[in-house]
Amino acid sequence: MTSLQSEIEKRGRRIFELVDKYPDSLFSKAGFYQRLMTLSMRDEQLKLQLFRFVAVLPSLHTSGEIIAHLREYFADGHDSRKLSEFLEAGVRLAGLAPWISGPMLRWNVSEMARQFIAGRNPNDVMRTLRKRRSQKIGFTVDLLGEAVVGETEADEYAARYLDLLEGLARETRDWVDPLGTNSDLFPVVNVSVKISALYSQISPDNPAGTIANLAPKLRALLRRARELGVFINVDMESYAHKNVTLELFKTIFTEEEFKSWPHAGIVIQAYLRDSEADLRDLLEWGGRRGTRFGVRLVKGAYWDYETTKSRQNGWDCPVYLQKPESDANFETLTRLLLENESVVTSAFGSHNVRSIAHAQTFAEELGVDRSRFEFQLLYGMAGPIKRALVEMGYRVREYCPVGELLPGMSYLVRRLLENTSNEGFLRAKFSENIPAEDLLRDPCEVLRGSRNGVRPPSSAATNMTTTTPQTHSGVPYKNASLTNFALPENQEKMRAALREQRKQFGRKVPLTINGEKIWTDKTFSSVNPSQPDQIVGYAAEAGIPEAERAVAAARAAFEKWRRTSFEERCQLLERAAEVLERRRFELSALEVFEVGKPWAEADGDIREAIDFCTFYARQMRLIGQPRLTQNVPGEESYRHYWPRGVALVIAPWNFPMAILCGMVSAALVTGNTVIMKPSEQSVIIGAMLMEIYEEAGVPPGVLNFLNGKGSVIGAHMVDHKDVDLIAFTGSREVGLSIWESAGKTREGQRELKRVICEMGGKNAMIVDSDADLDEAIVDSIYSAFGFQGQKCSALSRLIVLEENYDRVVERLLAAAASVRVGNPEEPGIVVGPVIDEAAYRRILDYVEAGKSEATLAYQAKDIPPHGYFIPPTIFTGVKPNMRIAREEIFGPVLSVLKVRDLDEAIEVANGTDYALTGGFFSRSPANIERIKAQLEAGNVYINRPCTGAIVGRHPFGGFKMSGSGTKAGGEDYLLNFLIPRVVTENVASHGLTPEKTPEYRDEFLWPKQ
Ligand SMILES: Cc1cc2nc3c(=O)[nH]c(=O)nc-3n(C[C@H](O)[C@H](O)[C@H](O)COP(=O)(O)OP(=O)(O)OC[C@H]3O[C@@H](n4cnc5c(N)ncnc54)[C@H](O)[C@@H]3O)c2cc1C
């Protein structure tokens, strides 16, 4: 053992000796909190339910509601004996006297919260701070609050922070530093600030814009803090906010005004893989700045969130996956901080005795006096460790959150999770009594052990296995990743692509028929809806003669293409996916200009196109081989599929690459030949898809690209006797006319035409009385206004239960007022222009209609003067029979409807012609089950936005007047493009019956290739 390790162990043991003198009451066996902890640690599933129940409790208004939720959460699936152990009187009394048990539970939960929340308000917290003062423990105060969804809330928050500074400074005027040495480094009053509380529109893809908005708010706070002699610490939140937080900190503290002020600090999270690079960068910056600054080193509080989020988006996981990796990195960063003590004042934020002992030992080795750094621990956690550290003469500061129970709930749940985590130090020490020797092991050694085959004590790796359904034998389907615009390199790539696309303005694209490029006399111009005088490109326009040629070319190419093996066709799609991936930024940038998509929306569209190609290729491989229907001796009967023939694909502009590519790829991979007609408004993107398929090697005639007026060439081809299948996505009006025309059989027609028809929606989201409003508001705003409300899945009717109505509307309007509207070429824009002048006028007509029918509750004012910008608009007092509640608007207009109860909410939600998407925000398991069963929508989303379907994960499509019931990106989608066929052979003649018939056989292809 190295001398450093033995010194760490010695110190660790000393801390444990002191700790064991004062057992931690939090981990004793008595009381409500302790029972909750004990049960949670025994059963993971029960833990989830318990914590969910705790989280919803403060928003329940009556005793009856509390009891109803209690029953719903714990009615079945769990050991009721275990549960009543926890609830004791609660559950048993519930049956007899709900008015007693409801308040009792609430009281228990608020008492539990008080163990972690130091006070309800700044006055209340003073009692705690005084007590700690007598124990020689300092403080940093943090203001808890609901998620800030709008700028009014952010301003209120900033004002509360200012009050807090004033109050704390006043109340502690005569307090002195508990250690008395180096007190200039550690002002008595220390306040922790979260940037997400100061600004509601933080956009990781736009650090400069975010900082421009945040800096003035932070400066105001800092000025007052400096006057009052207060230390300000900027907390670190999720990874998406990390770069902005670091940049903001460096920007402000490089400014002349704050350059020489040493009393500001920031947090570094050791669980992040890039934390060492960030810390080195900060230290270098600090050196250049020439004034001390503070760093609080923690491991990080959002581990579960970061791992889930990165898995959902297909991103590299930013956090370490094994707990000892975080521990080891914490030690590396500890050393780095202490080695740079001349620049940085360190605070080690940990309850882990090993991490603490390591910091002590290393400081000693470097000769850094113990009064020049501090240990910080959370209020309500690890009390004995704090006492031990004080006794050893170290500087200790407690992180004291202040606030009411409801806004403090997410903080409370984080603490409960931390205390019950399998990986956590506190549980290991105080609940599981793991021996000191194990707790003090060198994390690097634990890791080396794991690399030699012994697993570290981590369940993380097993949690990381993917659950995506398998679409190809043995190979899990993996969606393409979204671009993470929080990373500066991706921001730069996007900016470069936008510059490049600008240079290409005015490009000309031809038709492609039978592999030939065809120019016609007429051209269409496609304009930038943000600046309609900018022409993104010109496209040759097809008339009837070109449509005829395209149909003939597709028909002629069909015979060969249908006999091409499905494997070859799958590979074509996979090559197209590769080209899409390679040209990703270029195509996203083109979408920004041609259809006004914000960055992330454009990227999502290209990602979806890639997914369609890879998903359909895998699906085709699953159904491509003829498959035995039944195993019967003497007979071989194989079902397989033939393509239908010539497919006409008519696509809209709102997902200009994804929907076009999805329908085209499904048609091609199933062996149909295709005429693709993109929307007139997104024709340049359509031409790019043609280029991509050509690069991927599509044979001439198999895919033909026609641009032209839907009413002319579209209608002509729908009626054409040689067109066998129409895949359409677009408006109800056009969809229904296609459906009808395709039903007529023309002379010479071989097949009954198949129509795949996806139309619009009038999508509703219901907000239950117990909904988590932080989520409901943010997700509703995004669902209604993201991409200007021009998604067929967009939210258009928000149905709110009357109990919650006033609070929901108040927060909704405030949140809407903070949404960024502008030219989407700029990052961070949520609402850009609508697609063209016709849409602009139509939507404004609806706004006028809304004004006469309902109450105009909100309309954005600050919108660009040119371009097709419609201000986000919210109507309240909307009734189900009003036009704005019935007709599809396809723009940023939201109707809010008030209902009595869930019965009425469901009736209103289902009371439209459409059934595309629908959503529900609730924390009542019973109500959620009911919605799952009763909401009429092809895609039902619970407690999340109602837009953003992902291929394979959320097969997408509706019914009623929203569509014919097909599901793009679903396992059965390709069957719409195919004709099933069964070939049966008697193989029993003369009693020569084969013993075994294979389940699959080769394709029926002739001549064989
Ligand atoms: C004063 C103070 C201020 C804080 N401020 C912040 C802040 O601004 N931002 C913030 O994010 N957190 C902050 N925290 C919270 C802090 O991150 C957690 O309390 C801390 O991570 C718990 O670590 P520990 O050393 O006490 O316990 P330990 O039990 O040693 O470590 C637990 C931590 O290990 C990490 N971990 C758990 N499982 C794994 C795994 N499988 N693989 C890799 N790593 C894993 C997680 O970070 C987890 O929190 C603060 C904590 C304190 C005490």
Side-chain angles (χ1 to χ4, degrees):
M1 192 188 297
T2 62
S3 59
L4 188 70
Q5 173 61 17
S6 63
E7 184 57 29
I8 293 171
E9 286 195 9
K10 203 169 102 200
R11 282 172 180 276
R13 283 181 198 286
R14 174 72 190 129
I15 299 174
F16 281 136
E17 270 168 37
L18 294 169
V19 161
D20 291 340
K21 282 209 300 201
Y22 318 95
D24 194 329
S25 64
L26 276 190
F27 287 89
S28 78
K29 297 275 177 274
F32 177 88
Y33 168 77
Q34 285 75 8
R35 279 200 299 277
L36 183 80
M37 292 287 105
T38 311
L39 269 181
S40 308
M41 288 190 260
R42 257 193 250 153
D43 178 340
E44 274 295 313
Q45 188 53 34
L46 183 60
K47 167 166 136 181
L48 275 184
Q49 287 299 85
L50 283 169
F51 290 2
R52 281 187 185 139
F53 177 71
V54 165
V56 70
L57 193 59
S59 55
L60 302 179
H61 306 291
T62 65
S63 232
E65 278 179 315
I66 296 177
I67 298 308
H69 277 72
L70 196 59
R71 291 218 176 96
E72 289 172 22
Y73 273 66
F74 304 109
D76 44 46
H78 295 294
D79 181 341
S80 59
R81 197 182 48 77
K82 271 197 288 184
L83 187 65
S84 53
E85 208 181 291
F86 149 61
L87 297 164
E88 211 180 37
V91 159
R92 269 181 272 125
L93 274 175
L96 304 170
W99 61 92
I100 302 180
S101 48
M104 214 161 76
L105 268 174
R106 192 198 284 276
W107 182 83
N108 272 321
V109 169
S110 25
E111 279 308 291
M112 176 170 76
R114 288 180 70 80
Q115 295 185 64
F116 299 100
I117 300 175
R120 292 205 172 89
N121 51 51
N123 289 336
D124 193 26
V125 79
M126 280 315 300
R127 241 178 309 147
T128 308
L129 304 188
R130 284 192 198 101
K131 198 160 150 203
R132 291 296 179 268
R133 182 188 178 208
S134 67
Q135 297 163 339
K136 296 199 165 154
I137 294 176
F139 64 86
T140 177
V141 176
D142 160 56
L143 274 185
L144 295 171
E146 289 170 303
V148 159
V149 299
E151 285 313 272
T152 333
E153 290 180 5
D155 292 344
E156 282 166 17
Y157 224 105
R160 283 176 56 209
Y161 266 123
L162 280 173
D163 283 350
L164 178 72
L165 297 185
E166 303 287 347
L168 290 174
R170 190 176 52 244
E171 296 292 327
T172 61
R173 208 172 295 136
D174 54 345
W175 293 21
V176 291
D177 179 59
L179 257 60
T181 37
N182 287 312
S183 47
D184 54 320
L185 301 182
F186 302 96
V188 167
V189 182
N190 184 313
V191 169
S192 290
V193 178
K194 289 191 172 48
I195 62 162
S196 66
L198 295 178
Y199 181 45
S200 65
Q201 304 297 307
I202 294 178
S203 59
D205 56 357
N206 182 16
T210 302
I211 289 169
N213 281 287
L214 262 168
K217 300 181 181 216
L218 193 57
R219 273 188 212 111
L221 206 64
L222 296 175
R223 260 174 219 135
R224 192 63 191 131
R226 194 170 54 179
E227 283 161 13
L228 294 169
V230 173
F231 187 102
I232 296 284
N233 190 82
V234 181
D235 282 2
M236 197 58 86
E237 302 172 69
S238 66
Y239 186 64
H241 289 175
K242 185 207 63 169
N243 284 343
V244 168
T245 312
L246 286 166
E247 274 314 305
L248 173 72
F249 186 81
K250 288 188 290 185
T251 305
I252 289 208
F253 291 102
T254 311
E255 290 169 4
E256 210 43 51
E257 183 178 2
F258 298 108
K259 205 172 169 187
S260 55
W261 188 43
H263 294 150
I266 191 164
V267 172
I268 289 284
Q269 296 157 316
Y271 67 4
L272 291 182
R273 292 171 195 276
D274 45 14
S275 50
E276 184 174 343
D278 287 336
L279 180 55
R280 286 188 186 280
D281 176 71
L282 262 181
L283 291 169
E284 216 179 282
W285 164 83
R288 283 197 308 276
R289 177 178 176 244
T291 309
R292 295 183 78 77
F293 66 104
V295 167
R296 178 199 298 151
L297 180 63
V298 302
K299 283 173 199 155
Y302 306 86
W303 189 89
D304 296 275
Y305 171 81
E306 301 297 0
T307 48
T308 308
K309 174 106 181 156
S310 56
R311 281 177 70 201
Q312 280 182 353
N313 292 336
W315 294 338
D316 290 341
C317 190
V319 296
Y320 290 113
L321 297 181
Q322 297 187 28
K323 165 76 164 52
E325 291 180 293
S326 297
D327 292 337
N329 194 42
F330 189 93
E331 295 190 1
T332 305
L333 303 186
T334 297
R335 292 193 290 271
L336 200 53
L337 283 169
L338 290 169
E339 280 160 0
N340 288 278
E341 203 280 327
S342 57
V343 188
V344 67
T345 306
S346 305
F348 301 102
S350 174
H351 310 116
N352 184 322
V353 173
R354 159 78 207 191
S355 308
I356 292 171
H358 170 270
Q360 291 181 354
T361 309
F362 205 77
E364 189 100 341
E365 191 169 292
L366 289 178
V368 179
D369 189 80
R370 60 185 64 181
S371 64
R372 293 188 69 81
F373 58 93
E374 63 185 4
F375 291 104
Q376 295 192 355
L377 296 93
L378 299 177
Y379 175 81
M381 311 253 294
I385 300 180
K386 289 172 204 156
R387 269 192 295 263
L389 292 172
V390 171
E391 217 165 307
M392 291 166 86
Y394 284 96
R395 190 180 283 287
V396 178
R397 190 179 297 278
E398 192 170 59
Y399 185 96
C400 298
V402 173
E404 295 292 339
L405 180 56
L406 181 59
M409 201 29 84
S410 57
Y411 177 82
L412 173 65
V413 171
R414 273 210 300 280
R415 296 291 74 86
L416 294 179
L417 284 171
E418 196 167 314
N419 275 349
T420 51
S421 158
N422 283 328
E423 313 276 351
F425 177 87
L426 290 179
R427 173 175 172 172
K429 160 72 187 147
F430 293 103
S431 182
E432 298 187 345
N433 300 319
I434 306 278
E437 181 190 328
D438 289 346
L439 295 173
L440 294 174
R441 278 181 73 194
D442 179 353
C444 294
E445 202 185 291
V446 180
L447 279 172
R448 275 195 293 278
S450 81
R451 280 171 200 139
N452 293 336
V454 184
R455 288 191 53 70
S458 162
S459 57
T462 46
N463 291 341
M464 294 303 292
T465 56
T466 174
T467 52
T468 312
Q470 308 244 322
T471 55
H472 188 9
S473 47
V475 184
Y477 176 68
K478 196 166 171 292
N479 297 89
S481 309
L482 286 169
T483 299
N484 186 352
F485 285 112
L487 303 179
E489 62 266 30
N490 288 336
Q491 294 160 16
E492 190 36 54
K493 279 186 197 162
M494 189 66 184
R495 274 192 219 100
L498 286 163
R499 283 195 296 273
E500 190 48 39
Q501 283 306 305
R502 268 191 172 281
K503 289 191 207 148
Q504 308 256 345
F505 276 1
R507 77 176 99 192
K508 297 192 172 63
V509 297
L511 311 176
T512 305
I513 301 175
N514 208 17
E516 257 182 74
K517 300 293 165 199
I518 294 175
W519 298 98
T520 52
D521 297 340
K522 279 173 129 180
T523 50
F524 259 10
S525 55
S526 179
V527 303
N528 176 359
S530 300
Q531 280 173 276
D533 55 338
Q534 288 177 347
I535 300 201
V536 177
Y538 299 93
E541 182 182 339
I544 303 292
E546 287 79 22
E548 282 291 333
R549 275 177 70 184
V551 175
R555 172 59 55 194
F558 178 60
E559 276 314 306
K560 186 157 182 226
W561 186 240
R562 69 181 299 188
R563 281 184 284 103
T564 304
S565 76
F566 71 81
E567 180 54 35
E568 264 184 60
R569 300 195 304 253
C570 291
Q571 287 174 14
L572 172 73
L573 263 61
E574 284 165 346
R575 287 195 299 274
E578 280 166 23
V579 183
L580 280 161
E581 184 69 65
R582 194 187 74 227
R583 295 178 62 178
R584 189 157 179 169
F585 285 95
E586 168 202 341
L587 296 166
S588 297
L590 177 57
E591 289 203 3
V592 170
F593 288 122
E594 195 173 23
V595 297
K597 280 218 177 210
W599 289 18
E601 302 281 351
D603 177 72
D605 192 53
I606 308 303
R607 184 258 201 141
E608 195 177 352
I610 297 169
D611 281 350
F612 277 133
C613 292
T614 54
F615 185 73
Y616 291 149
R618 280 158 195 260
Q619 287 307 116
M620 191 61 213
R621 288 197 180 99
L622 286 176
I623 59 170
Q625 266 186 303
R627 183 174 189 181
L628 192 67
T629 54
Q630 274 187 355
N631 203 347
V632 180
E635 187 180 280
E636 285 181 358
S637 199
Y638 283 93
R639 187 200 57 204
H640 75 128
Y641 298 98
W642 270 359
R644 288 184 169 269
V646 172
L648 170 63
V649 170
I650 305 178
W653 48 263
N654 62 338
F655 289 89
M657 185 58 91
I659 296 182
L660 183 68
C661 179
M663 294 192 288
V664 163
S665 305
L668 288 177
V669 81
T670 45
N672 300 283
T673 51
V674 178
I675 301 150
M676 69 161 160
K677 194 199 99 46
S679 161
E680 292 99 305
Q681 287 89 340
S682 57
V683 61
I684 307 297
I685 294 161
M688 292 304 110
L689 184 63
M690 186 70 223
E691 257 185 45
I692 286 162
Y693 260 109
E694 284 179 324
E695 186 181 340
V698 72
V702 169
L703 177 61
N704 303 277
F705 169 69
L706 278 197
N707 162 51
K709 292 202 174 73
S711 54
V712 180
I713 60 163
H716 180 77
M717 290 188 287
V718 166
D719 291 347
H720 203 290
K721 70 178 176 50
D722 281 330
V723 169
D724 304 291
L725 179 156
I726 300 130
F728 168 81
T729 305
S731 71
R732 171 173 169 178
E733 186 196 348
V734 178
L736 293 184
S737 96
I738 292 176
W739 192 263
E740 199 179 312
S741 311
K744 291 193 192 119
T745 313
R746 265 91 190 172
E747 189 154 347
Q749 184 174 327
R750 274 161 290 234
E751 296 286 339
L752 297 178
K753 287 180 201 253
R754 178 59 165 254
V755 180
I756 298 151
C757 190
E758 301 283 341
M759 299 177 292
K762 188 71 191 169
N763 310 305
M765 182 91 88
I766 301 172
V767 182
D768 205 352
S769 55
D770 68 350
D772 181 334
L773 293 193
D774 286 355
E775 286 175 3
I777 300 296
V778 171
D779 292 351
S780 299
I781 289 284
Y782 174 70
S783 302
F785 299 141
F787 185 38
Q788 304 76 276
Q790 297 178 117
K791 302 176 191 179
C792 40
S793 53
L795 169 63
S796 164
R797 297 176 298 147
L798 190 69
I799 301 171
V800 186
L801 267 64
E802 63 187 6
E803 240 177 295
N804 248 1
Y805 186 83
D806 292 341
R807 183 75 185 122
V808 169
V809 169
E810 183 194 347
R811 294 194 75 191
L812 185 78
L813 301 186
S818 311
V819 165
R820 288 191 66 207
V821 185
N823 186 336
E825 199 178 338
E826 243 186 79
I829 292 295
V830 176
V831 181
V834 299
I835 189 69
D836 60 12
E837 188 169 350
Y840 177 79
R841 302 222 165 277
R842 193 176 37 74
I843 300 166
L844 285 183
D845 283 349
Y846 273 109
V847 171
E848 287 310 307
K851 284 182 192 164
S852 63
E853 293 181 307
T855 308
L856 177 66
Y858 172 74
Q859 187 161 48
K861 292 196 178 56
D862 189 16
I863 58 164
H866 306 296
Y868 305 125
F869 290 91
I870 301 267
T873 304
I874 298 178
F875 288 105
T876 52
V878 178
K879 301 285 174 233
N881 59 348
M882 293 177 176
R883 264 185 79 201
I884 52 167
R886 283 186 293 108
E887 296 175 18
E888 192 181 29
I889 301 174
F890 226 61
V893 179
L894 178 64
S895 296
V896 185
L897 296 94
K898 187 192 316 194
V899 290
R900 214 176 32 256
D901 53 22
L902 194 57
D903 290 339
E904 191 185 348
I906 294 173
E907 194 184 316
V908 170
N910 289 346
T912 69
D913 295 345
Y914 299 95
L916 189 50
T917 69
F920 187 44
F921 277 92
S922 173
R923 287 183 285 186
S924 153
N927 290 353
I928 290 175
E929 277 309 298
R930 182 166 174 204
I931 290 293
K932 285 179 180 168
Q934 293 190 332
L935 198 62
E936 288 178 7
N939 288 73
V940 174
Y941 295 104
I942 315 284
N943 290 329
R944 50 150 286 163
C946 65
T947 60
I950 293 172
V951 171
R953 209 177 295 171
H954 317 117
F956 185 79
F959 51 98
K960 288 164 76 174
M961 288 303 133
S962 292
S964 51
T966 49
K967 283 291 194 187
E971 290 184 353
D972 43 11
Y973 186 67
L974 294 186
L975 298 182
N976 298 297
F977 293 77
L978 291 163
I979 292 170
R981 188 166 174 263
V982 174
V983 176
T984 307
E985 182 182 359
N986 174 7
V987 290
S989 49
H990 307 295
L992 298 170
T993 308
E995 235 172 56
K996 205 161 171 274
T997 313
E999 193 182 350
Y1000 291 97
R1001 54 147 289 151
D1002 289 344
E1003 275 178 278
F1004 297 110
L1005 286 180
W1006 195 264
K1008 288 220 178 257
Q1009 289 168 331

